[in-house]
Every structure is written in C-alpha cells, then in structure tokens.
Amino acid sequence: MNEIWQQRLKRSQERIEEKKSRKHKLAVLWDYAKKLLLILVVVQIFYPEYLKRMIYPYIYGKPTTEKMQISAEDFFEDINAPAFRFDKDGWSYALYPRTKYAVTGKVGIVDHYDTIFGKIFRGQFQGEYINLVPQDLFIVIGDLAKPEVFNLFKFEHQERLGIIKCKGVKYRDSFMSGFFSSMSEYEKSKENEAKCQPYMKNENCNNYHPIPANKNIDKALHQIVAGDVVHLEGILVDVPQMGMKTGTRKNQYHKELYGGRGGAGMCFILYTTKVILNNRIYE
C-alpha cells in the first residue's frame, strides 16, 4: 500500500513540476515576444522601410532580369505634352510635363516624410505636399557612385534641399562653425577636401522629389534606403499650384531660394512610372 501511495505522490509531484516548467517556458516566450514586439514598434516608427523591404517586393514588384548598371549620364528627352490631373488621397494636382527622364544611380540619402516619425519631426504642416512627394532622394551617378569615391562624401537634406559634403572637412555652415582648433586640424581638413573635390561635379549628382504614378511605384519608393542602387524612369514635371518647378537638365540653378540662399541646383520633380530595386521591377 505504501508503495502505491509513494508512486501516486511521485506522479503528482512530477505533474506539478511539469506545470511549473511549462509556465516558466511560456513566461520566457512571452518575455521574448514582448521584446520582439517592442523592437518591431521602434523599427516601424523610425526605420519602417526595412520592414517593408521584407514584404513589399513580393506583393507589388515582379522579378526582373534587367541588368542594373549605374548611369554615366542621365537620359533626357524634351517633350511637348499637355498638363494632366493627378489625384491622390483626396487631393488633386495639375502636372505639367517637361522632359522624359531615366537614371540608374546610387542613393546618397533618402528621407521618408510620411512615416510616423517623419510627420512628427517635419511633416505635420505639409500634408498636401507630402501626399504628392512622400520622399526626397539624393542620387549620384558616374564616378561619384564608385565605392571608393562614394565613401569620401556625406549627404544631407536641409528643408528638402539635397547637399553633398566631403567627409572630414569643416564647413562654415553657421557663424560658430568652421573654426579650427589647430593648424594640424586645418591641414587635415584641406587634405580631405583635396581628395574629394575633383569628383564634386553637378552632372554626377542630383536631388529628386519623386511623385509615385501608382500604388506599385509608391510601395517601391517606400523601400529605398541609403546605399541602394536604383533605376528610376518617368517624366519631369512642374507643379505650379505647389510652387514646384523642376530642373530639366543638370547644372541648372534656382534664381531664388527661400532662406536667403541662392545658386542651389534645381531638384528634379519626377512623375515616376518605373522603379527597379533589388532585382524587382515596379510599374
């Protein structure tokens, strides 16, 4: 009889231990799940394009065998076409075609303005504009896109204006900047400037305000990150109601630019009809 009770007691204790073990495992899994969820939320807020790169290519893109080769120069073809209406998310825009355009280049910097963080940081008062142009891309071609040259530069956006700078060079961006603490620092800055200055050619870089022609293009543009090689095709357009005038060739300059800065290169406002990115084509 004692043996039977001992066996029952042993089995009861084993079941209790199994329950404790399952609860512990579930608690560990739930802890990992909460951490993963937190990571996904942070990524979605600050870097949503990386999550989109895992999903969008298989929904909105198609495989392509087209070979991606960085352009030595852009393709331009002037056209004479009437203005057309472009409707998106309750807004209507009049687009005035200027030039057919295509380029394959390397992305120096991209800003996505219609993300949660983007809207909070800079886009909360630009709803109509961001609806039309949700990203800014700074793209380089030719020698500037070669890895050993590309890495000499850093790229920035200031109020949607694309800027290229030499790494390791001090610039007089404000009254308090651009001062050197020693002669060696000054000499190093000049040395770095001399390395990259020969490649600072306007015809090899430009800033883009892409207008996605449809949902597939929109989803493609939302995946782009700095360092990507991307192919863009479409039409360079003016959007007078938004005060947007496109460049139609490189080396064109704004006569005036808000903020008191003149002589800035004209951005390309590209009504985008085709994107190739990471061996997927979007049309």
Side-chain angles (χ1 to χ4, degrees):
M1 182 69 69
N2 288 337
E3 290 182 1
I4 295 174
W5 281 107
Q6 287 177 355
Q7 290 175 357
R8 289 179 177 176
L9 179 61
K10 184 179 179 180
R11 286 196 296 269
S12 177
Q13 289 175 339
E14 287 175 349
R15 286 194 294 269
I16 292 171
E17 292 299 322
E18 286 176 1
K19 288 181 180 179
K20 287 182 179 179
S21 177
R22 285 197 297 269
K23 286 182 179 180
H24 176 71
K25 290 178 180 177
L26 288 172
V28 171
L29 288 174
W30 176 238
D31 188 50
Y32 279 121
K34 287 190 292 185
K35 291 178 180 178
L36 178 60
L37 181 61
L38 178 60
I39 291 171
L40 290 175
V41 169
V42 171
V43 172
Q44 176 61 24
I45 292 174
F46 295 101
Y47 308 103
E49 55 274 16
Y50 288 97
L51 293 179
K52 294 170 182 176
R53 288 163 77 94
M54 300 170 61
I55 302 170
Y56 285 1
Y58 306 101
I59 301 176
Y60 303 103
K62 297 178 181 178
T64 179
T65 56
E66 290 190 40
K67 298 296 183 182
M68 295 276 281
Q69 184 171 357
I70 291 176
S71 305
E73 57 184 28
D74 317 59
F75 168 80
F76 298 92
E77 181 184 334
D78 291 331
I79 57 175
N80 185 12
F84 62 94
R85 303 299 303 182
F86 176 70
D87 298 319
K88 185 183 177 187
D89 298 335
W91 273 290
S92 184
Y93 309 87
L95 307 185
Y96 290 75
R98 299 289 304 279
T99 308
K100 283 186 179 180
Y101 180 79
V103 68
T104 302
K106 191 168 186 176
V107 179
I109 185 172
V110 54
D111 274 328
H112 297 275
Y113 297 109
D114 61 345
T115 62
I116 296 173
F117 180 73
K119 289 179 179 178
I120 293 173
F121 180 62
R122 69 206 316 178
Q124 64 270 36
F125 303 118
Q126 302 183 40
E128 184 179 7
Y129 185 52
I130 286 178
N131 181 65
L132 181 66
V133 185
Q135 297 90 13
D136 283 343
L137 299 172
F138 194 95
I139 294 178
V140 301
I141 62 173
D143 289 340
L144 256 177
K146 294 178 179 178
E148 66 275 16
V149 177
F150 184 85
N151 292 330
L152 295 174
F153 296 92
K154 58 182 179 180
F155 307 90
E156 300 175 0
H157 277 133
Q158 295 183 8
E159 297 297 336
R160 308 198 76 155
L161 174 69
I163 296 175
I164 180 172
K165 295 180 178 179
C166 303
K167 290 181 179 177
V169 174
K170 278 199 169 184
Y171 290 89
R172 183 64 64 87
D173 293 328
S174 66
F175 177 76
M176 297 301 295
S177 65
F179 292 99
F180 299 95
S181 59
S182 65
M183 180 57 68
S184 62
E185 186 183 25
Y186 170 80
E187 291 174 349
K188 186 64 176 177
S189 178
K190 288 298 182 183
E191 179 184 336
N192 291 331
E193 185 177 17
K195 287 180 182 178
C196 64
Q197 196 62 40
Y199 302 103
M200 295 276 279
K201 299 177 180 178
N202 290 334
E203 60 267 25
N204 281 347
C205 60
N206 213 73
N207 197 47
Y208 295 78
H209 304 317
I211 300 172
N214 58 35
K215 188 174 183 178
N216 292 341
I217 301 298
D218 185 55
K219 300 304 183 182
L221 295 172
H222 274 91
Q223 301 174 56
I224 296 174
V225 299
D228 278 340
V229 174
V230 62
H231 175 82
L232 303 178
E233 284 186 31
I235 303 172
L236 298 173
V237 298
D238 292 336
V239 192
Q241 74 189 71
M242 301 300 298
M244 300 169 67
K245 183 175 177 61
T246 187
T248 56
R249 295 292 188 276
K250 298 289 180 70
N251 296 313
Q252 293 175 326
Y253 295 91
H254 290 284
K255 292 181 180 179
E256 295 179 1
L257 188 69
Y258 62 86
R261 293 172 296 179
M266 295 184 72
C267 300
F268 284 176
I269 304 166
L270 181 64
Y271 178 73
T272 311
T273 57
K274 180 178 179 180
V275 176
I276 302 177
L277 176 68
N278 294 329
N279 298 317
R280 310 290 288 192
I281 187 169
Y282 303 82
E283 293 180 299

